[in-house]
Amino acid sequence: MCAVSTASANKKFIVAKFGGTSVANFDTMCKSADIVITNKNVRIVVLSASANITNLLLKLTEACNDNRRKALLKQIRQRQYTIINRLGNPSNIQPIIDNLLARLTSLSEVTTQYPLIARQIDEIVSYGELMSSYLFVEILRQNGVNATWFDVRNIMKTNDKFGKAEPNQQLLKRLADKYLQPKLHESLIVTQGFIGQDMAGRTTTLGRGGSDYTAALIAEALSFSQVDIWTDVAGIYTTDPRIVASAKSISAITFNEAAEMAIFGAKILHPSTLLPAIRAEIPVFVGSSQMPEKGGTYICTSTEKLPQFRALTIRRKQTLLTLHSLKMLHARGFLAEIFTLLSQHHISVDLITTSEVSIALTLDTTGSTSTNGNLLTETLMTELAKLCRVDVEEGLALVAIIGNSLSQINGLGSKIFSALATYNIRMICYGASSHNICLLVSDKEAETIIQKLHKNLFE
């Protein structure tokens, strides 16, 4: 359990975020509603789209013929109506959802004529959160809760980097104080994660998994005491239980450890989520909305125990870029030139190793809503080719060993690599952080490697 600051007027209030599996259908929405109703300290609820709706919406943006477009719209409509049809009195919500579906249909008509730009993709994708939040409000109201639907775009102002927009934190705080603070004692506020609005009034998205980030930003802006992240797993484990059945649950973990896990692929947390929580020292709780009685994991500034090995993570869809040039030999400025070029194309580098005449670096192709993982554009590759020879390897995964003071453990190499003697490790990054060791491996072998490492380090 974490210590809670009492400096704020909102010292007991909680922002509860529910992921897609927690609002996937009527039954899961009702269980999530029960959690909110039970805990009177929850004053703001942040929702993702119902499970798989965002994927359907992204497919809709790529529909190249009218039959495909109509089939996807039908699937989306059916998912909403499986919830509406279970409501005791659907007359209030049905016209609202029908209106959203009609607007979505109208927006999608251009997809069969020409490829959509990022701005149009963001607008279409936002409808998942809009629909799920309206439906959740109706379920709460039919359970006797005074719930208010709130459009998060009124406060979540961002830049215009569609697909992975950056919020304006100062403006968010001012607008949250203006629009949300007065409502906190009047009703339960239900809003959307993931989406925002640029200064021109156009809908943006914060990147896949951005609902966690939304919840933490709102908690920071209003000085809430805690953020609850409700998902389909009862907290954080030593690795993904779907990969290793014997994975152990973790009752409490530090911000540093959790940040490493999020950055290196633990799907239970969005990498940006912890930044607002760390800044404001707001504890984050992670639990299962379907099994709240099982407890979960608290993420705090400090914990009683810091084990050498905390967890294993996996991040798929990694691209390895190897750049060769004799210009590097005893020369200055080559690396600066490469990184300037990558920055101009909005690409951030994850891991890097160098030799006298080459650089190997990894690019994370996950995260953005609108790029579909296509970071290496033809323009970028042409510009890089003018500077060096470029080799691209895909189908890779990043396995990260998360722990504490790893650089001070004697015999660390034998503990790790003795289990992996028969596997090809394409890159090793170690030393820059005492909290992680990263291994770049074939995606096909990544899960087996996780299983072997877990047995060696945790069992």
Side-chain angles (χ1 to χ4, degrees), residues 60 137 167 189 258 316:
L60 183 64
V137 166
I189 300 166
R316 301 186 184 277

Side-chain angles (χ1 to χ4, degrees), residues 424-435:
N424 177 38
I425 300 174
R426 188 61 187 84
M427 180 191 284
I428 301 168
C429 279
Y430 170 53
S433 169
S434 62
H435 289 291

Side-chain angles (χ1 to χ4, degrees), residues 133-152:
S133 55
Y134 270 118
L135 289 166
F136 195 73
V137 166
E138 187 61 25
I139 286 175
L140 286 170
R141 287 175 178 170
Q142 293 198 13
N143 278 278
V145 178
N146 179 20
T148 300
W149 185 89
F150 181 80
D151 192 334
V152 78

Side-chain angles (χ1 to χ4, degrees), residues 142 181 204 244 308 351 359:
Q142 293 198 13
Q181 184 66 45
T204 59
V244 179
Q308 287 183 334
L351 307 179
I359 315 165

Side-chain angles (χ1 to χ4, degrees), residues 192-325:
Q192 310 78 37
F194 178 59
I195 66 176
Q197 187 180 75
D198 73 359
M199 301 312 293
R202 299 171 298 186
T203 297
T204 59
T205 63
L206 309 185
R208 297 301 294 265
S211 294
D212 290 358
Y213 191 28
T214 302
L217 283 167
I218 292 174
E220 179 188 31
L222 292 169
S223 301
F224 272 27
S225 67
Q226 186 169 303
V227 178
D228 288 354
I229 306 292
W230 294 100
T231 179
D232 58 350
V233 181
I236 298 174
Y237 285 71
T238 49
T239 196
D240 188 338
R242 289 164 291 195
I243 298 176
V244 179
S246 57
K248 300 172 175 61
S249 62
I250 302 171
S251 60
I253 189 172
T254 66
F255 280 125
N256 284 338
E257 293 169 318
E260 295 279 349
M261 290 184 69
I263 289 167
F264 289 111
K267 293 182 180 179
I268 202 164
L269 284 175
H270 185 266
S272 299
T273 302
L274 297 174
L275 297 178
I278 292 170
R279 287 194 298 259
E281 295 187 350
I282 300 172
V284 176
F285 173 79
V286 181
S288 167
S289 61
Q290 304 310 297
M291 298 176 290
E293 70 281 358
K294 287 197 171 185
T297 303
Y298 279 93
I299 307 171
C300 320
T301 303
S302 61
T303 61
E304 292 180 3
K305 185 179 180 182
L306 290 176
Q308 287 183 334
F309 299 109
R310 177 64 88 179
L312 300 170
T313 63
I314 181 172
R315 190 169 68 188
R316 301 186 184 277
K317 296 184 180 179
Q318 300 301 290
T319 298
L320 178 63
L321 207 61
T322 306
L323 312 176
H324 309 268
S325 176

Side-chain angles (χ1 to χ4, degrees), residues 148-179:
T148 300
W149 185 89
F150 181 80
D151 192 334
V152 78
R153 292 172 294 188
N154 291 330
I155 62 171
M156 193 63 67
K157 304 302 179 182
T158 73
N159 61 13
D160 60 358
K161 188 181 176 184
F162 297 99
K164 206 170 185 180
E166 290 293 331
N168 182 325
Q169 295 166 31
Q170 289 74 28
L171 186 55
L172 169 61
K173 178 165 180 54
R174 291 202 299 272
L175 293 174
D177 283 340
K178 179 179 179 180
Y179 293 112

Side-chain angles (χ1 to χ4, degrees), residues 296-417:
T297 303
Y298 279 93
I299 307 171
C300 320
T301 303
S302 61
T303 61
E304 292 180 3
K305 185 179 180 182
L306 290 176
Q308 287 183 334
F309 299 109
R310 177 64 88 179
L312 300 170
T313 63
I314 181 172
R315 190 169 68 188
R316 301 186 184 277
K317 296 184 180 179
Q318 300 301 290
T319 298
L320 178 63
L321 207 61
T322 306
L323 312 176
H324 309 268
S325 176
L326 293 176
K327 294 178 183 177
M328 286 182 63
L329 194 61
H330 306 304
R332 299 176 182 174
F334 182 79
L335 279 175
E337 197 170 3
I338 292 294
F339 280 92
T340 298
L341 179 57
L342 293 173
S343 176
Q344 290 169 353
H345 287 264
H346 306 291
I347 293 175
S348 60
V349 174
D350 278 343
L351 307 179
I352 178 170
T353 61
T354 65
S355 73
E356 287 295 321
V357 293
S358 64
I359 315 165
L361 45 87
T362 64
L363 310 177
D364 181 19
T365 59
T366 63
S368 174
T369 305
S370 57
T371 62
N372 293 321
N374 185 25
L375 294 176
L376 299 178
T377 62
E378 186 177 342
T379 303
L380 171 61
M381 296 302 287
T382 300
E383 292 179 13
L384 283 172
K386 294 176 182 177
L387 300 174
C388 53
R389 190 179 91 245
V390 183
D391 293 331
V392 179
E393 295 178 51
E394 296 179 321
L396 299 170
L398 190 66
V399 171
I401 300 156
I402 311 299
N404 295 281
S405 304
L406 294 179
S407 59
Q408 300 172 27
I409 301 175
N410 294 333
L412 180 65
S414 64
K415 282 186 178 181
I416 294 171
F417 298 110

